[in-house]
Amino acid sequence: MKVCRTVQELREATRVWRGKGESLGFVPTMGCLHRGHLSLVERSRRENDKTVVSIFVNPLQFGPKEDFSVYPRTEEEDRRVLEQGGADLLFLPRVEEIYPPGFQTYCEVTQLTKPLCGLTREGHFRGVTTVVLKLFNIVSPQRAYFGQKDAQQAIVLTRMVEDLALNINLRVCPILREQDGLALSSRNRYLSREEREQAPGLSRALGRAESLFLEGERGARVLRDAVREELGRLPLFTPEYVELVDLGTLLPVERVESKALLLLAGRLGRTRLIDNIVLGGTYVDLGTQE
Ligand code: AMP
């Protein structure tokens, strides 16, 4: 696996592949890799000749009170995992490579970024779209892979690709979970033993709503209340939101007509966790179709 730290190095490496007509899949990450990230790499390998992974803890998407400085950085281990996972190139830029002095150009999706995580994480999605657009321009992949885990992010990025007519196919992949249901996340390592014991309650709460949905319940209030009730059993969890929204607009729905996205966010102790489920559909509904 090649490792590149500058834009120039990466462009040179990928130019050779492109010259041979090889297709490129791209998996952007912030590192501290787990099986969820690897599932994106595996999918990219199946669908492309070469797979590029980036690891960049993007300062622009962290708020002033968020965990940028302590976000786990495990470069050695990540390199080993990616080598084994069969990635062809790892892009590991320094912050100044992406945001050189004088940087002042941003990309913003204006509406889809307002609700849900946008309510408490001001500027977060602007940071995400700006860095992803820049990485897309550097790597020029045919396809890019994102996880349903960050459903709002996937929907925002899909909008960006559409609005700016980017020639990239954005693929969304399912959430990988621990055996007890907890969605894999780099932030799970912040959890204390007691918090970790309560953490499966998040997916259990979504599962409760899913069961009701499968039994025929379509009312948003009933479905949301079922989630809230289950979350209420977790003494260390402080919910931020539980919402049932339209997949296209991310605005609340009163009833699930055919499909809808049920999401939750909150703090388990001090760690912010998110999870979601598509009722009446799947992760495929969050990305672009080829
Ligand atoms: P991150 O490193 O947290 O920025 O995540 C990089 C990519 O991996 C994003 O597209 C995430 O949605 C995706 N991802 C994170 N956790 C999971 C998971 N448990 N299952 C599948 N994909 C995931």
Side-chain angles (χ1 to χ4, degrees):
M1 180 180 69
K2 251 188 205 328
V3 179
C4 298
R5 292 187 186 269
T6 66
V7 173
Q8 199 189 341
E9 280 167 13
L10 183 125
R11 288 225 165 104
E12 276 164 22
T14 52
R15 193 181 308 130
V16 177
W17 294 333
R18 223 169 277 113
K20 289 195 236 162
E22 293 184 309
S23 62
L24 230 69
F26 177 42
V27 181
T29 82
M30 298 207 299
C32 191
L33 301 179
H34 49 65
R35 281 186 293 113
H37 297 112
L38 276 184
S39 71
L40 307 185
V41 174
E42 277 160 26
R43 171 109 186 259
S44 170
R45 288 188 65 207
R46 283 202 299 277
E47 298 178 349
N48 302 278
D49 297 313
K50 291 285 188 294
T51 291
V52 176
V53 178
S54 65
I55 295 181
F56 181 61
V57 184
N58 175 30
L60 213 60
Q61 71 188 69
F62 288 79
K65 293 195 187 126
E66 294 183 5
D67 55 346
F68 174 69
S69 60
V70 297
Y71 193 84
R73 288 157 171 92
T74 56
E75 186 181 317
E76 284 303 305
E77 176 66 7
D78 288 349
R79 283 173 73 149
R80 207 181 51 74
V81 163
L82 286 174
E83 191 88 58
Q84 276 185 359
D88 298 283
L89 192 155
L90 170 60
F91 184 42
L92 264 176
R94 297 190 327 141
V95 171
E96 307 80 71
E97 186 70 15
I98 300 296
Y99 303 118
F103 183 93
Q104 52 189 287
T105 307
Y106 299 86
C107 173
E108 189 174 358
V109 173
T110 57
Q111 300 303 312
L112 292 170
T113 54
K114 286 200 172 121
L116 308 169
C117 290
L119 291 172
T120 50
R121 303 194 71 189
E122 212 203 319
H124 167 70
F125 289 112
R126 183 175 183 254
V128 171
T129 43
T130 299
V131 81
V132 170
L133 180 58
K134 181 150 189 178
L135 290 169
F136 281 178
N137 283 331
I138 295 168
V139 178
S140 295
Q142 271 82 53
R143 301 181 189 85
Y145 298 83
F146 294 86
Q148 179 198 335
K149 164 81 190 330
D150 301 276
Q152 187 175 12
Q153 168 176 284
I155 289 170
V156 165
L157 290 171
T158 301
R159 188 79 245 165
M160 176 185 85
V161 164
E162 172 78 18
D163 286 355
L164 300 181
L166 304 182
N167 197 13
I168 293 175
N169 199 271
L170 198 149
R171 301 265 165 111
V172 180
C173 306
I175 303 177
L176 261 79
R177 298 177 179 280
E178 301 283 4
Q179 290 230 317
D180 60 15
L182 173 63
L184 296 179
S185 163
S186 308
R187 289 189 169 99
N188 290 350
R189 62 171 60 199
Y190 296 150
L191 300 173
S192 70
R193 195 166 52 80
E194 280 165 306
E195 289 160 2
R196 179 64 189 80
E197 276 166 19
Q198 292 184 21
L202 275 62
S203 62
R204 201 163 51 236
L206 294 172
R208 185 105 191 265
E210 186 181 34
S211 302
L212 291 173
F213 176 78
L214 293 173
E215 286 161 20
E217 180 60 58
R218 293 293 179 270
R221 195 146 55 85
V222 176
L223 294 165
R224 277 197 323 256
D225 284 352
V227 176
R228 291 198 177 114
E229 193 187 309
E230 196 69 31
L231 295 175
R233 296 184 213 275
L234 310 173
L236 298 176
F237 187 69
T238 314
E240 188 180 299
Y241 64 74
V242 175
E243 295 288 356
L244 188 65
V245 303
D246 179 82
L247 283 153
T249 63
L250 292 178
L251 295 174
V253 295
E254 295 212 339
R255 289 183 56 76
V256 186
E257 291 308 336
S258 59
K259 51 192 148 193
L261 181 61
L262 179 61
L263 316 92
L264 64 82
R267 281 182 193 279
L268 194 48
R270 288 164 57 165
T271 304
R272 189 172 183 280
L273 297 179
I274 55 175
D275 202 347
N276 70 83
I277 185 171
V278 184
L279 297 179
T282 68
Y283 55 90
V284 177
D285 297 308
L286 308 180
T288 53
Q289 320 297 326
E290 205 156 27

